[in-house]
Amino acid sequence: MIQSINPLVGAELFEVMGHARGGQGMVTAFEILSKIFSHTGEYEVQAFPSFGVERTGAPIQGFLRISKTEILNRSNIYNPHLIVVFDESLLGQVPVFAGLHEGGTILLNTSNKPEMYQDKAAVVYTVPATRISIEKQLGSKSLPIVNSAMIGALLRILGGDIEVGKMIIKEEVPSKPDANAEAAEIAYNSLSEFVNPNPIVKQLATAPGPKSIIPQAPFWNDPMSLNKTGSWRMSIPIYVTRNAPCSHHCPAGTQVREFIQLAAEERFEEAYELIFKTNPFPSLCGRVCAGYCEQNCNRADYDGTVNIRTIESYIGDHGSKKEIVPNQLIFDEKIAVFGSGPDGLTTALRLRQAGYFVNVFEPASKAGGILRNGYLDDDLPDELLNHEIEKIVQEGLEISLNSNMQVTDLPADFGAIVCSENFLLENTSLIRKKGEISFLNGIPVFVSSEMNKVISFIETVEIGNKTAKAVNAFLRNEKLVAPAVIEEIDVVKSEEMRFHYYESAPQNKKRSYTFSEVMDSLNGTEIAAEAARCLHCGTCFNCGNCYNYCPDAVVHFDKKNRLRVDYEYCKGCGICYHECPSAAMKFDIIKKIKQ
């Protein structure tokens, strides 16, 4: 029950000082209050803020005068009758109660009881404006807009008409007028009061500390470098590298985003080397792969996906120019791989790169297996596959064509056998138990692909990569470390992208399938232009938006030419995060990010 007397009664001039953080709506609140009181025709009003370069999150002041007579004073308010605190976190940072008039009143936005602040004023009011605003979805949880709720509380204290207040709030607020009016009414009815039986003396302004100490609140004397404004913020922006959907959906784990970026700079040789680490068939993959990367490209929701497969096929056709020098043989064990399909050749390549002698036994006159017989037709001639296989052979492995080598007759100096489950059943009587290493004449057998399991081309490549790791781990007596299970992989979604910052550039739909056709028709400039359409999902590409939009110039380039934030002066406004086109920043409560 509010029992204190309306402070406007009998007062010729009533002065209010407000303390808030930029973005909480205090300036707007005081302007609306002035319109509410002037609406009655009984009062002259004056409302104005006091702040300089501060932005969202920084402490600011606002002033409101209500008078029965004309107001001639145009100065700031130094000894207010009422002090209003919009954010209780300011209590430990700013001397909010300094200068309060003797017998003055305070209003705090807090869920605490007013008795907790009984030594601060003659009359103390509290209102849970933050909770009310969050419930009404005014602003965000990290920065709720509390001005409507605070207007309602002030109307109760000053004897204002809540119905008039609601009407004017609906007229003045730019969005959610009904929710703002409701917040004001709830706060009007949620006010708590404590009247101090022993009125306090007039509060004096706190003297500034010595210059050698960093102040809790800014002062405008030299040196300005002591104003570490970052201590005021609640949340901070941080640069992150997130998973792009193209890379995430590639079964072989190819770094799609990264090789596309290299292609955009016409660094095709480096792009080839990057692809080759996970997929030794870039020319072929660009033509026969199902294109999981392209199917999940976020640019599909803007003006068409990036033509990733054409870019990859070009890189495979043109990118490899270095002379390949095979790695030295460093292990005694020999590896026998039966079959030269994509899984077999990939396994053989990785083991040869690791330092093993590898012999691939192929009964046909040409290597390639299902690549030769299951994919290629008139549009994909043999020369395309020959081109890919030749690059693999140059790494130092041996392929025995027209081979009638029987797996049961393999010399004992071989340290491991790799073959498909179908091959094992057709050529041996070995009964293989899943999850266990089987042995044939004392030689461990590793199955690269299981029987009757239909998988895509790129999945067979990944099987080859995994099989090679398993063979090496066994021969080196090492534990095969499985990839860490991540409960929730952070993949950038299209709705997180700021498409309006990208120029519209329709997809270059030119696609070529024959090797000779690509060599003749597509050029590096066209490929680089198509690759430049990449949105760089989840990674900073130095677009400079954060640098240009930061209102306090705290974003800078570090020694590595990376954009970074100076957290000592960052006020946590979040503008950089909201204007990042590629969703390569996070913005959250400081404690949560530090964890």
Side-chain angles (χ1 to χ4, degrees):
M1 183 70 179
I2 306 302
Q3 298 177 345
S4 59
I5 299 173
N6 178 358
L8 293 184
V9 175
E12 289 296 322
L13 175 66
F14 191 82
E15 294 184 316
V16 181
M17 177 190 292
H19 293 276
R21 294 188 184 277
Q24 291 183 312
M26 178 184 67
V27 174
T28 302
F30 280 11
E31 289 177 354
I32 292 176
L33 279 165
S34 68
K35 292 180 180 180
I36 293 171
F37 281 100
S38 66
H39 183 271
T40 65
E42 297 180 30
Y43 298 102
E44 296 289 331
V45 292
Q46 185 187 85
F48 57 98
S50 174
F51 56 85
V53 299
E54 293 88 351
R55 292 298 185 269
T56 302
I60 62 173
Q61 284 183 312
F63 305 107
L64 174 66
R65 288 189 172 101
I66 304 173
S67 175
K68 290 282 189 179
T69 60
E70 183 180 0
I71 301 174
L72 301 176
N73 190 347
R74 295 293 186 269
S75 71
N76 289 352
I77 294 172
Y78 301 101
N79 298 115
H81 300 90
L82 169 63
I83 288 178
V84 185
V85 181
F86 281 62
D87 190 320
E88 65 179 316
S89 67
L90 293 171
L91 297 181
Q93 298 180 355
V94 179
V96 294
F97 303 121
L100 180 62
H101 199 282
E102 184 177 0
T105 302
I106 60 175
L107 167 64
L108 296 167
N109 168 19
T110 178
S111 296
N112 295 327
K113 294 182 178 180
E115 287 83 353
M116 290 185 61
Y117 311 95
Q118 59 181 289
D119 60 330
K120 302 298 183 184
V123 183
V124 180
Y125 296 97
T126 61
V127 63
T130 297
R131 176 177 58 79
I132 294 169
S133 301
I134 290 175
E135 289 174 355
K136 290 299 175 181
Q137 298 182 349
L138 300 176
S140 63
K141 289 185 178 180
S142 60
L143 188 62
I145 309 301
V146 300
N147 54 359
S148 291
M150 295 300 284
I151 290 171
L154 283 165
L155 286 175
R156 183 66 180 274
I157 294 171
L158 300 174
D161 189 328
I162 186 60
E163 295 303 322
V164 173
K166 288 163 58 179
M167 178 189 69
I168 294 179
I169 287 172
K170 289 182 180 182
E171 293 174 353
E172 297 294 326
V173 297
S175 64
K176 298 184 178 180
D178 291 332
N180 277 277
E182 290 168 8
E185 186 169 24
I186 294 171
Y188 184 90
N189 295 314
S190 301
L191 197 67
S192 297
E193 178 191 49
F194 175 79
V195 179
N196 197 324
N198 301 307
I200 62 171
V201 298
K202 177 180 176 181
Q203 298 226 4
L204 300 176
T206 303
K211 291 185 179 181
S212 61
I213 300 176
I214 297 175
Q216 290 183 314
F219 56 85
W220 310 115
N221 302 318
D222 292 334
M224 289 296 291
S225 60
L226 294 181
N227 289 324
K228 304 294 186 180
T229 55
S231 63
W232 306 342
R233 65 183 178 269
M234 300 291 289
S235 303
I236 61 172
I238 184 171
Y239 294 94
V240 293
T241 299
R242 302 172 61 194
N243 291 293
C246 53
S247 300
H248 174 69
H249 287 92
C250 176
T254 301
Q255 294 176 276
V256 179
R257 176 181 62 197
E258 286 72 15
F259 84 67
I260 292 294
Q261 291 173 7
L262 290 170
E265 299 172 13
E266 298 192 41
R267 296 160 62 185
F268 299 120
E269 191 167 334
E270 293 174 63
Y272 179 91
E273 292 173 359
L274 182 61
I275 297 173
F276 201 80
K277 290 179 180 179
T278 53
N279 174 18
F281 303 99
S283 289
L284 186 62
C285 185
R287 295 170 171 89
V288 303
C289 180
Y292 303 109
C293 55
E294 201 167 315
Q295 292 175 31
N296 291 280
C297 176
N298 278 334
R299 189 145 192 158
D301 292 333
Y302 183 38
D303 58 2
T305 65
V306 177
N307 198 340
I308 299 173
R309 289 181 293 173
T310 293
I311 296 170
E312 184 174 18
S313 62
Y314 181 91
I315 292 170
D317 297 344
H318 298 264
S320 179
K321 297 179 181 179
K322 284 185 179 179
E323 180 183 354
I324 297 175
V325 179
N327 291 348
Q328 290 185 345
L329 297 173
I330 58 177
F331 300 119
D332 296 331
E333 297 94 340
K334 297 180 180 180
I335 312 296
V337 177
F338 286 89
S340 60
D343 52 343
L345 287 176
T346 303
T347 303
L349 170 65
R350 302 307 178 206
L351 289 169
R352 180 63 191 86
Q353 289 174 326
Y356 294 94
F357 172 86
V358 182
N359 197 327
V360 179
F361 297 100
E362 172 55 56
S365 60
K366 294 181 179 181
I370 192 173
L371 296 177
R372 185 84 59 186
N373 306 315
Y375 286 103
L376 303 183
D377 51 30
D378 293 338
D379 288 331
L380 292 171
D382 281 0
E383 65 173 316
L384 177 67
L385 181 55
N386 294 341
H387 171 70
E388 301 272 46
I389 294 177
E390 178 59 28
K391 292 296 182 183
I392 294 174
V393 171
Q394 288 175 12
E395 294 280 345
L397 56 89
E398 293 190 10
I399 299 181
S400 300
L401 300 174
N402 300 309
S403 173
N404 34 0
M405 170 64 74
Q406 300 298 310
V407 66
T408 53
D409 297 332
L410 200 66
D413 61 343
F414 276 87
I417 297 170
V418 178
C419 61
S420 69
E421 190 171 33
N422 283 344
F423 179 89
L424 204 61
L425 292 173
E426 293 172 1
N427 293 276
T428 72
S429 58
L430 181 67
I431 299 176
R432 173 177 169 263
K433 295 182 179 180
K434 288 188 177 182
E436 296 182 6
I437 301 294
S438 302
F439 289 85
L440 192 63
N441 297 333
I443 305 174
V445 178
F446 295 84
V447 171
S448 58
S449 59
E450 297 181 6
M451 183 177 60
N452 299 325
K453 188 175 182 180
V454 180
I455 54 178
S456 66
F457 159 73
I458 195 63
E459 287 175 304
T460 65
V461 172
E462 178 59 7
I463 287 173
N465 290 326
K466 290 181 178 179
T467 303
K469 291 178 182 178
V471 172
N472 181 66
F474 178 83
L475 294 178
R476 303 276 61 84
N477 195 27
E478 297 173 352
K479 184 177 180 181
L480 184 62
V481 180
V485 177
I486 303 176
E487 293 183 3
E488 184 177 350
I489 299 176
D490 185 21
V491 181
V492 179
K493 301 178 180 63
S494 65
E495 55 264 31
E496 298 178 81
M497 304 294 291
R498 280 75 173 180
F499 290 127
H500 54 279
Y501 283 120
Y502 296 93
E503 291 185 10
S504 180
Q507 182 195 67
N508 183 341
K509 297 183 179 180
K510 184 184 292 186
R511 289 188 58 80
S512 298
Y513 293 92
T514 66
F515 178 64
S516 58
E517 183 182 332
V518 171
M519 294 291 283
D520 293 338
S521 64
L522 295 181
N523 60 66
T525 302
E526 288 178 299
I527 292 298
E530 180 61 24
R533 296 179 65 245
C534 174
L535 301 175
H536 307 272
C537 303
T539 184
C540 174
F541 59 102
N542 282 0
C543 72
N545 264 18
C546 53
Y547 181 90
N548 292 327
Y549 279 99
C550 177
D552 297 300
V554 300
V555 177
H556 62 280
F557 287 92
D558 67 6
K559 294 180 180 179
K560 296 182 179 179
N561 199 37
R562 301 174 303 177
L563 285 161
R564 288 295 181 265
V565 176
D566 186 344
Y567 292 116
E568 287 192 332
Y569 294 94
C570 170
K571 297 183 178 68
C573 67
I575 292 175
C576 55
Y577 162 77
H578 289 290
E579 304 304 329
C580 176
S582 58
M585 299 188 82
K586 286 188 176 181
F587 183 64
D588 213 333
I589 297 173
I590 296 172
K591 290 183 179 179
K592 186 175 180 180
I593 287 183
K594 288 184 176 180
Q595 289 175 352

